[in-house]
Amino acid sequence: MPESGAGLRRRGLAPVWAPDARLLLLGSFPSAASLAAQQYYGHPRNQFWPLLSALWGEDLRALDYDQRLERVRARGLAIWDVYAACEREGSLDSAIRAAEPNDLAGLAARLPQLQAVAHNGGESARLMKVTAALGRPVYRLPSSSPANASWSFERKLAAWREVFARHGLLTP
């Protein structure tokens, strides 16, 4: 319910994970398009799926969503957001208000092979102190959002490749 001009209170998506995940990739909060589709990175201009496609040499965009998630789990990647709920109009991270954090420690406890946490963009990285407390390396990746136009796709890909390679997510 809107309060004093604030956006509607929205709930995020459930985490995507398997017990053998080695890297937890955290966004901030799903876009309006992602929430409507009930899919992570559902906005067609978001570069998340193209980045993973380039890293893994497979066009994930050609697969249906459930098949994409199968590939994600099989590669040792877990996906979630730092916020479980928030008030927001539109999709910009700068519009997030009254954010409720996800139970990141609870998820990490279910991932015995977890090696590291990577934040997809600046808003997610605001919780780096929380993820650092998990006792694993923490990375800030350039955002896959279309709003992050200052980084070219190739530059984003190089940064993502470095982290994925370091934790064994580039091999089948």
Side-chain angles (χ1 to χ4, degrees):
M1 190 154 67
E3 297 176 21
S4 64
L8 295 176
R9 185 112 187 125
R10 303 180 193 284
R11 293 222 56 89
L13 303 173
V16 173
W17 63 282
D20 61 348
R22 296 181 305 280
L23 179 65
L24 173 58
L25 185 66
L26 296 170
S28 55
F29 191 76
S31 68
S34 294
L35 289 173
Q38 287 295 288
Q39 297 181 1
Y40 279 100
Y41 304 99
H43 191 287
R45 288 194 3 246
N46 192 294
Q47 294 180 325
F48 179 82
W49 295 111
L51 285 164
L52 291 187
S53 295
L55 290 169
W56 294 339
E58 176 182 14
D59 186 4
L60 298 174
R61 295 164 298 176
L63 303 175
D64 70 35
Y65 185 68
D66 289 336
Q67 291 173 314
R68 291 179 194 186
L69 297 186
E70 285 175 20
R71 298 300 200 282
V72 162
R73 290 183 190 102
R75 292 284 186 150
L77 182 63
I79 304 170
W80 208 12
D81 289 308
V82 295
Y83 302 133
C86 68
E87 293 175 7
R88 182 178 69 191
E89 287 191 39
S91 295
L92 294 177
D93 283 349
S94 60
I96 291 174
R97 302 285 181 262
E100 170 192 330
N102 267 318
D103 180 11
L104 302 175
L107 178 60
R110 296 186 285 177
L111 304 175
Q113 296 182 41
L114 185 64
Q115 297 175 9
V117 176
H119 291 273
N120 183 1
E123 182 63 30
S124 172
R126 289 181 57 186
L127 272 76
M128 286 179 80
K129 286 183 182 177
V130 172
T131 54
L134 300 175
R136 292 163 181 93
V138 178
Y139 304 95
R140 178 180 175 169
L141 294 174
S143 176
S144 63
S145 168
N148 183 20
S150 64
W151 282 62
S152 69
F153 181 82
E154 292 74 21
R155 191 171 166 213
K156 290 178 190 181
L157 181 60
W160 284 51
R161 184 181 311 280
E162 182 178 328
V163 171
F164 277 54
R166 188 171 293 164
H167 297 286
L169 274 74
L170 295 184
T171 55

